[in-house]
Amino acid sequence: MISPISPLAGQRAPPSVLVDVAALVAAYHRGVPDPSTPGQRVSFGTSGHRGCSLDLSFNERHVLAITQAICRYRKGKGIDGPLFLGLDTHALSGPAYVTALEVLAGNGVHVMLAAHDEFTPTPAISHAILAHNRGRSTGLADGIVVTPSHNPPRDGGFKYNPPHGGPAGEDVTGWIQADANRLLAKNLEGVLRLPHESALRAATTHRHDFLGAYVADLGNVIDLDAISRAGIRMGVDPMGGAGVHYWAAIAERYRLELTVVSQAVDPQFAFMPLDSDGQIRMDPSSAYAMARLTAMKDSFDVAFACDTDHDRHGIVTPTGGLMPPNHYLSVAIDYLFQHREHWGREVAVGKTVVSTALIDRLAARLGRRLYDVPTGFKWFAAGLGDGSLGFAGEESAGATFLRRDATAWTTDKDGIAAALLAGEITACLGRDPSELYADLAREFGNPVAARMEAPANAAQKAQLAALSARQVDSASLAGEPIQSILTNAPGNDAPIAGIKVIAAGGWFAARPSGTEDVYKIYAESFLGDEHLQRILKEAQAIVDAALSGARDSHQGGLDA
């Protein structure tokens, strides 16, 4: 199940690995997807529709259909305020951004484009939606971010944030997906579109200073004055992403010793070290993708990076190098709930079921309610919006939290704020986050974790998502009695689309990927590496047996 590490991992990409941008863009405009082929239909995973123009899974027709479906959804729900439109630096984002504007203008939607055609991080879109909607009950705003997140340079992506400012839930994305596919099947009949120049000149097209508004408000969520006073030396690698110009503006406004190690923007992302599989992937939680910044760790008191749309973070310290995401989430929670004096005692900690159980133990010590939900940041949007969740995080290095006055900051992941929080922690406590995590590990135990993947077709993924506890034919996990088997998340009773098996010293969870033809096994042990490997081995056996049982009990089960 564990893929071999590429000999090129952590190194600069050779020319043979770099994507042909001209071919990508040409295929975006030329491709005609077949709506009867599953891989060529619109499909919203955990964070929007993603694909590649070369595979006929993301092209102009997809974006025309999705955007028209969003316009229909807005009209049906009475959403008539402005739509904030942003994009990242992937090669397909620019063409898709143009297409989206043409349809939005064709439908008379008031669109807010970035001043000076600036790239737009996901958190800046969420921040803008919340700022506009604060105190309103009518004329509500929503947003679109054109991004495939940290995916390779060949991919494109498109996600919708409704008026709550966070990722759209399945009720929304399901409707948009179905309507978009109907439009594809009807050869785009009913899509309203203006020529690009006309769309730019339309009375409904406006400009918004996303960068200025976000940066000016940032001191209300992070104590940037404390960082400045302490003279904390920080480094940031934007990874060629949408926040590339935000960092210098932040440093200037708040007088920070913040070094931007690279401001390169290149749709091939040729400057990126290759990930473990030899692909270019702007993943700030990957030790290989972060090789450039970790090599500089001794130059800063703390350093960080964000992915392409800047909704994920990676933290690098001189004492520990790149922190595993679960380690930093734990440190951030411990710090925030003891240093935000305006957060009431009722404010809860949000995590996903595949995030570390150390957070469960930490929340108990802090006396905070734990809100444990399925994978997907959409589950946190309501709690962040009404202030009942102080912090929300997931093991894939995504997080956000309330303002210092306990009101909503963003309801989507914010890599910028999460990164700068590492600077605040270092300034206020005089120790870096890696040192602080060592304290937590001594207090609660030092868990080790791993994630593995295995191929799975659509039928297998559906069977895994539908597993029940009675299909787990085992009473123990790695030598310990199984305490519980979850198919629904404890925090909101929503299906986790898989199973989680828990024992006293460790756990595993298995779920199908929402964007790839694989299933994933997450595992954690508080008893060491050997115990972790036993959990992983038994987890695979349990899942294989459960899937086999599912196959045997269904006609036309798993494909051979």
Side-chain angles (χ1 to χ4, degrees):
M1 289 179 65
I2 299 179
S3 301
I5 303 299
S6 167
L8 296 176
Q11 301 179 34
R12 287 280 294 271
S16 60
V17 174
L18 302 180
V19 70
D20 184 335
V21 172
L24 269 181
V25 174
Y28 172 84
H29 293 292
R30 185 179 62 243
V32 179
D34 179 357
S36 67
T37 301
Q40 297 179 28
R41 292 167 60 83
V42 172
S43 178
F44 276 79
T46 52
S47 190
H49 173 75
R50 298 183 190 178
C52 179
S53 60
L54 300 175
D55 301 332
L56 293 176
S57 55
F58 185 93
N59 59 32
E60 185 174 52
R61 284 178 168 249
H62 292 107
V63 176
L64 288 168
I66 295 170
T67 311
Q68 183 63 52
I70 289 172
C71 290
R72 292 182 179 184
Y73 175 81
R74 297 179 94 245
K75 185 174 182 180
K77 294 296 182 179
I79 303 170
D80 55 3
L83 183 143
F84 293 94
L85 179 63
L87 80 163
D88 76 2
T89 55
H90 275 79
L92 291 177
S93 294
Y97 178 81
V98 168
T99 303
L101 174 61
E102 292 170 354
V103 175
L104 293 167
N107 283 269
V109 174
H110 285 268
V111 183
M112 309 300 285
L113 306 180
H116 314 298
D117 294 313
E118 183 62 72
F119 299 115
T120 320
T122 287
I125 295 288
S126 181
H127 177 270
I129 294 170
L130 295 184
H132 176 87
N133 291 344
R134 191 167 289 119
R136 293 176 181 266
S137 58
T138 60
L140 297 177
D142 53 1
I144 291 171
V145 192
V146 185
T147 175
S149 187
H150 62 288
N151 277 31
R154 73 193 304 266
D155 286 353
F158 203 88
K159 61 183 182 181
Y160 173 64
N161 288 32
H164 62 51
E170 292 177 5
D171 56 332
V172 179
T173 58
W175 192 97
I176 293 170
Q177 174 180 301
D179 197 53
N181 283 319
R182 281 193 291 269
L183 288 166
L184 284 179
K186 293 182 179 180
N187 198 30
L188 301 177
E189 180 183 343
V191 172
L192 306 178
R193 181 184 190 184
L194 290 180
H196 185 57
E197 289 302 319
S198 298
L200 286 173
R201 293 195 302 267
T204 52
T205 299
H206 316 277
R207 293 288 176 174
H208 178 73
D209 185 6
F210 289 99
L211 187 156
Y214 179 92
V215 171
D217 206 13
L218 194 57
N220 290 312
V221 69
I222 301 293
D223 190 348
L224 295 164
D225 290 338
I227 300 174
S228 178
R229 288 193 303 270
I232 299 299
R233 295 172 300 120
M234 299 181 293
V236 59
D237 185 352
M239 289 186 162
V244 63
H245 299 140
Y246 279 56
W247 296 104
I250 293 168
E252 180 180 1
R253 182 180 181 92
Y254 296 101
R255 304 178 303 281
L256 305 178
E257 288 192 44
L258 175 61
T259 301
V260 182
V261 302
S262 172
Q263 296 197 55
V265 175
D266 168 19
Q268 291 185 308
F269 293 89
F271 51 81
M272 279 294 300
L274 294 174
D275 206 353
S276 60
D277 58 358
Q279 288 203 62
I280 296 173
R281 191 176 287 108
M282 289 63 68
D283 181 358
S285 66
S286 164
Y288 300 101
M290 289 283 281
R292 176 171 64 173
L293 189 60
T294 53
M296 305 178 188
K297 67 182 182 65
D298 294 328
S299 300
F300 307 107
D301 297 315
V302 67
F304 32 79
C306 291
D307 69 338
T308 324
D309 69 321
H310 272 49
D311 69 345
R312 300 190 189 201
H313 61 271
I315 308 299
V316 174
T317 70
T319 61
L322 177 63
M323 295 186 71
N326 277 320
H327 292 195
Y328 182 62
L329 295 183
S330 302
V331 170
I333 291 166
D334 191 41
Y335 174 82
L336 285 167
F337 282 91
Q338 296 187 76
H339 292 83
R340 291 296 187 260
E341 60 183 32
H342 296 296
W343 292 12
R345 295 301 305 170
E346 73 285 355
V347 174
V349 177
K351 67 177 277 284
T352 55
V353 294
V354 295
S355 298
T356 179
L358 192 150
I359 294 175
D360 302 50
R361 301 179 182 190
L362 175 58
R365 190 254 277 157
L366 291 168
R368 297 288 177 164
R369 178 174 64 88
L370 184 69
Y371 184 63
D372 205 0
V373 298
T375 297
F377 222 76
K378 61 193 175 190
W379 302 109
F380 298 127
L384 289 164
D386 65 18
S388 61
L389 282 180
F391 177 95
E394 55 186 15
E395 56 79 35
S396 56
T400 194
F401 38 92
L402 296 179
R403 295 167 181 265
R404 295 157 70 187
D405 67 0
T407 59
W409 167 247
T410 61
T411 48
D412 209 332
K413 299 184 291 288
D414 188 341
I416 298 173
L420 288 168
L421 180 65
E424 179 187 334
I425 292 170
T426 305
C428 292
L429 300 185
R431 303 169 71 203
D432 73 42
S434 291
E435 296 173 302
L436 296 168
Y437 179 77
D439 291 346
L440 293 178
R442 283 188 289 270
E443 180 180 359
F444 296 110
N446 189 18
V448 288
R451 190 185 81 179
M452 303 195 303
E453 297 179 353
N457 59 33
Q460 291 169 321
K461 289 167 63 176
Q463 287 166 351
L464 177 57
L467 283 182
S468 65
R470 65 178 179 272
Q471 290 173 274
V472 178
D473 187 20
S474 178
S476 64
L477 177 65
E480 296 186 305
I482 290 175
Q483 295 179 335
S484 60
I485 301 173
L486 304 180
T487 55
N488 289 57
N492 59 358
D493 199 36
I496 63 176
I499 56 171
K500 182 175 181 179
V501 179
I502 304 169
W507 59 268
F508 82 85
R511 57 176 291 271
S513 170
T515 56
E516 303 172 90
D517 289 331
V518 299
Y519 72 81
K520 301 179 181 182
I521 291 180
Y522 306 78
E524 182 176 61
S525 170
F526 282 81
L527 302 178
D529 285 312
E530 182 178 345
H531 187 249
L532 176 66
Q533 294 308 313
R534 288 185 64 187
I535 291 176
L536 287 168
K537 183 177 180 180
E538 293 183 21
Q540 186 175 359
I542 289 172
V543 171
D544 288 347
L547 287 177
S548 176
R551 176 194 62 202
D552 295 341
S553 63
H554 289 79
Q555 292 291 329
L558 298 186
D559 293 346

